Short mmCIF file of all heavy atoms in Angstrom, two decimals:
data_model
loop_
_atom_site.label_atom_id
_atom_site.label_comp_id
_atom_site.label_asym_id
_atom_site.label_seq_id
_atom_site.Cartn_x
_atom_site.Cartn_y
_atom_site.Cartn_z
N LEU A 152 2.84 -8.57 -6.96
CA LEU A 152 3.33 -7.24 -7.28
C LEU A 152 4.47 -6.95 -6.33
O LEU A 152 4.34 -7.10 -5.12
CB LEU A 152 2.23 -6.19 -7.12
CG LEU A 152 2.69 -4.74 -7.21
CD1 LEU A 152 3.02 -4.40 -8.68
CD2 LEU A 152 1.56 -3.79 -6.71
N LEU A 153 5.61 -6.54 -6.89
CA LEU A 153 6.75 -6.07 -6.06
C LEU A 153 6.82 -4.56 -6.24
O LEU A 153 6.96 -4.05 -7.34
CB LEU A 153 8.05 -6.72 -6.51
CG LEU A 153 8.14 -8.22 -6.21
CD1 LEU A 153 7.66 -8.98 -7.43
CD2 LEU A 153 9.52 -8.60 -5.87
N PHE A 154 6.61 -3.83 -5.15
CA PHE A 154 6.48 -2.38 -5.16
C PHE A 154 7.51 -1.82 -4.19
O PHE A 154 7.48 -2.13 -2.99
CB PHE A 154 5.06 -2.02 -4.72
CG PHE A 154 4.69 -0.60 -4.93
CD1 PHE A 154 4.03 -0.21 -6.08
CD2 PHE A 154 4.99 0.37 -3.97
CE1 PHE A 154 3.65 1.12 -6.30
CE2 PHE A 154 4.65 1.69 -4.16
CZ PHE A 154 3.96 2.07 -5.34
N VAL A 155 8.47 -1.02 -4.70
CA VAL A 155 9.57 -0.52 -3.88
C VAL A 155 9.47 1.00 -3.73
O VAL A 155 9.26 1.72 -4.69
CB VAL A 155 10.94 -0.87 -4.52
CG1 VAL A 155 12.08 -0.30 -3.70
CG2 VAL A 155 11.08 -2.38 -4.68
N ARG A 156 9.58 1.46 -2.49
CA ARG A 156 9.63 2.89 -2.21
C ARG A 156 10.75 3.20 -1.25
O ARG A 156 11.02 2.43 -0.31
CB ARG A 156 8.29 3.33 -1.52
CG ARG A 156 7.11 3.39 -2.41
CD ARG A 156 7.21 4.45 -3.49
NE ARG A 156 7.20 5.77 -2.96
CZ ARG A 156 6.08 6.52 -2.82
NH1 ARG A 156 4.93 6.06 -3.20
NH2 ARG A 156 6.20 7.73 -2.31
N GLU A 157 11.40 4.30 -1.49
CA GLU A 157 12.38 4.82 -0.58
C GLU A 157 11.69 5.90 0.25
O GLU A 157 11.14 6.85 -0.33
CB GLU A 157 13.58 5.45 -1.33
CG GLU A 157 14.40 4.43 -2.12
CD GLU A 157 15.20 3.48 -1.26
OE1 GLU A 157 15.54 3.84 -0.12
OE2 GLU A 157 15.48 2.36 -1.75
N LEU A 158 11.64 5.69 1.56
CA LEU A 158 11.03 6.67 2.43
C LEU A 158 12.07 7.36 3.28
O LEU A 158 13.06 6.74 3.64
CB LEU A 158 9.99 5.94 3.34
CG LEU A 158 8.85 5.23 2.57
CD1 LEU A 158 8.01 4.40 3.53
CD2 LEU A 158 7.98 6.27 1.84
N ARG A 159 11.83 8.59 3.58
CA ARG A 159 12.83 9.39 4.31
C ARG A 159 12.65 9.29 5.84
O ARG A 159 13.00 10.24 6.57
CB ARG A 159 12.74 10.83 3.84
CG ARG A 159 11.33 11.36 3.93
CD ARG A 159 11.12 12.63 3.17
NE ARG A 159 9.67 12.83 3.09
CZ ARG A 159 9.10 13.99 2.87
NH1 ARG A 159 9.83 15.03 2.70
NH2 ARG A 159 7.79 14.07 2.82
N HIS A 160 12.14 8.16 6.29
CA HIS A 160 11.88 7.97 7.72
C HIS A 160 12.49 6.66 8.18
O HIS A 160 12.59 5.71 7.39
CB HIS A 160 10.36 7.97 7.95
CG HIS A 160 9.67 9.10 7.26
ND1 HIS A 160 9.72 10.39 7.69
CD2 HIS A 160 8.95 9.10 6.11
CE1 HIS A 160 9.05 11.14 6.83
NE2 HIS A 160 8.57 10.39 5.89
N ALA A 161 12.86 6.60 9.43
CA ALA A 161 13.50 5.40 10.00
C ALA A 161 12.53 4.19 9.98
O ALA A 161 11.31 4.41 10.06
CB ALA A 161 13.92 5.69 11.43
N PRO A 162 13.05 2.99 9.92
CA PRO A 162 12.19 1.80 9.89
C PRO A 162 11.20 1.74 11.06
O PRO A 162 10.05 1.33 10.87
CB PRO A 162 13.19 0.63 9.92
CG PRO A 162 14.41 1.17 9.28
CD PRO A 162 14.46 2.60 9.70
N GLU A 163 11.61 2.17 12.23
CA GLU A 163 10.71 2.14 13.40
C GLU A 163 9.48 3.04 13.17
O GLU A 163 8.36 2.68 13.56
CB GLU A 163 11.46 2.55 14.66
CG GLU A 163 12.53 1.60 15.10
CD GLU A 163 13.86 1.75 14.28
OE1 GLU A 163 14.02 2.70 13.51
OE2 GLU A 163 14.69 0.82 14.40
N LYS A 164 9.69 4.15 12.55
CA LYS A 164 8.61 5.10 12.28
C LYS A 164 7.69 4.56 11.19
O LYS A 164 6.45 4.66 11.27
CB LYS A 164 9.19 6.46 11.85
CG LYS A 164 8.21 7.61 11.93
CD LYS A 164 8.93 8.93 11.73
CE LYS A 164 7.93 10.08 11.87
NZ LYS A 164 8.60 11.37 11.68
N VAL A 165 8.29 3.94 10.17
CA VAL A 165 7.49 3.32 9.08
C VAL A 165 6.68 2.15 9.64
O VAL A 165 5.52 1.95 9.38
CB VAL A 165 8.38 2.91 7.92
CG1 VAL A 165 7.56 2.18 6.85
CG2 VAL A 165 9.10 4.14 7.31
N TRP A 166 7.36 1.33 10.51
CA TRP A 166 6.68 0.20 11.12
C TRP A 166 5.40 0.64 11.87
O TRP A 166 4.36 0.02 11.74
CB TRP A 166 7.65 -0.52 12.07
CG TRP A 166 6.99 -1.64 12.83
CD1 TRP A 166 6.43 -1.59 14.07
CD2 TRP A 166 6.82 -2.97 12.37
NE1 TRP A 166 5.93 -2.81 14.44
CE2 TRP A 166 6.16 -3.69 13.38
CE3 TRP A 166 7.18 -3.63 11.18
CZ2 TRP A 166 5.85 -5.04 13.26
CZ3 TRP A 166 6.87 -5.00 11.07
CH2 TRP A 166 6.20 -5.67 12.12
N ALA A 167 5.54 1.69 12.63
CA ALA A 167 4.39 2.22 13.40
C ALA A 167 3.26 2.58 12.45
O ALA A 167 2.07 2.33 12.72
CB ALA A 167 4.80 3.39 14.26
N ALA A 168 3.58 3.20 11.30
CA ALA A 168 2.53 3.58 10.33
C ALA A 168 1.87 2.35 9.73
O ALA A 168 0.71 2.39 9.33
CB ALA A 168 3.16 4.45 9.24
N LEU A 169 2.60 1.25 9.63
CA LEU A 169 2.08 0.00 9.06
C LEU A 169 1.23 -0.82 10.03
O LEU A 169 0.47 -1.68 9.61
CB LEU A 169 3.19 -0.89 8.52
CG LEU A 169 3.98 -0.42 7.34
CD1 LEU A 169 5.15 -1.34 7.06
CD2 LEU A 169 3.12 -0.26 6.12
N THR A 170 1.36 -0.57 11.31
CA THR A 170 0.76 -1.43 12.30
C THR A 170 -0.24 -0.74 13.23
O THR A 170 -1.17 -1.38 13.71
CB THR A 170 1.83 -2.13 13.17
OG1 THR A 170 2.63 -1.13 13.78
CG2 THR A 170 2.72 -3.02 12.33
N ASP A 171 -0.05 0.53 13.54
CA ASP A 171 -0.89 1.24 14.51
C ASP A 171 -2.22 1.64 13.84
O ASP A 171 -2.21 2.35 12.83
CB ASP A 171 -0.14 2.48 14.99
CG ASP A 171 -0.97 3.34 15.95
OD1 ASP A 171 -1.97 2.87 16.47
OD2 ASP A 171 -0.59 4.52 16.09
N PRO A 172 -3.36 1.18 14.37
CA PRO A 172 -4.66 1.48 13.74
C PRO A 172 -4.91 2.98 13.56
O PRO A 172 -5.52 3.39 12.55
CB PRO A 172 -5.67 0.88 14.68
CG PRO A 172 -4.92 -0.11 15.55
CD PRO A 172 -3.52 0.35 15.57
N ALA A 173 -4.48 3.80 14.52
CA ALA A 173 -4.70 5.25 14.39
C ALA A 173 -3.94 5.82 13.22
O ALA A 173 -4.41 6.71 12.51
CB ALA A 173 -4.32 5.95 15.69
N ARG A 174 -2.72 5.32 12.98
CA ARG A 174 -1.95 5.82 11.86
C ARG A 174 -2.43 5.25 10.55
O ARG A 174 -2.48 5.93 9.54
CB ARG A 174 -0.48 5.50 12.07
CG ARG A 174 0.10 6.30 13.22
CD ARG A 174 1.57 6.11 13.38
NE ARG A 174 2.00 6.76 14.62
CZ ARG A 174 3.23 6.99 14.90
NH1 ARG A 174 4.17 6.64 14.07
NH2 ARG A 174 3.56 7.54 16.03
N LEU A 175 -2.80 3.96 10.53
CA LEU A 175 -3.36 3.35 9.32
C LEU A 175 -4.60 4.10 8.86
O LEU A 175 -4.79 4.32 7.64
CB LEU A 175 -3.72 1.88 9.58
CG LEU A 175 -2.53 0.91 9.67
CD1 LEU A 175 -2.98 -0.41 10.31
CD2 LEU A 175 -1.95 0.67 8.29
N ARG A 176 -5.40 4.54 9.78
CA ARG A 176 -6.63 5.29 9.46
C ARG A 176 -6.33 6.53 8.62
O ARG A 176 -7.15 6.98 7.82
CB ARG A 176 -7.30 5.70 10.76
CG ARG A 176 -8.49 6.58 10.66
CD ARG A 176 -9.10 6.92 12.00
NE ARG A 176 -9.57 5.75 12.70
CZ ARG A 176 -10.72 5.12 12.47
NH1 ARG A 176 -11.51 5.60 11.57
NH2 ARG A 176 -11.09 4.05 13.13
N GLU A 177 -5.14 7.07 8.76
CA GLU A 177 -4.75 8.34 8.07
C GLU A 177 -4.18 8.15 6.68
O GLU A 177 -4.00 9.11 5.96
CB GLU A 177 -3.75 9.09 8.94
CG GLU A 177 -4.32 9.55 10.26
CD GLU A 177 -5.52 10.47 10.07
OE1 GLU A 177 -5.45 11.37 9.20
OE2 GLU A 177 -6.54 10.28 10.78
N TRP A 178 -3.87 6.87 6.30
CA TRP A 178 -3.27 6.71 4.96
C TRP A 178 -3.67 5.43 4.24
O TRP A 178 -3.60 5.38 3.02
CB TRP A 178 -1.74 6.76 5.05
CG TRP A 178 -1.11 5.55 5.70
CD1 TRP A 178 -0.84 5.40 7.03
CD2 TRP A 178 -0.74 4.35 5.06
NE1 TRP A 178 -0.31 4.15 7.24
CE2 TRP A 178 -0.22 3.48 6.06
CE3 TRP A 178 -0.75 3.88 3.72
CZ2 TRP A 178 0.26 2.23 5.80
CZ3 TRP A 178 -0.27 2.61 3.47
CH2 TRP A 178 0.23 1.79 4.49
#
Side-chain angles (χ1 to χ4, degrees):
L152 172 70
L153 292 93
F154 191 95
V155 178
R156 287 294 293 266
E157 295 290 334
L158 299 171
R159 53 194 168 158
H160 314 285
E163 294 79 11
K164 196 170 183 180
V165 176
W166 176 266
L169 293 174
T170 58
D171 177 18
R174 293 185 189 194
L175 285 164
R176 173 179 299 280
E177 296 300 317
W178 71 269

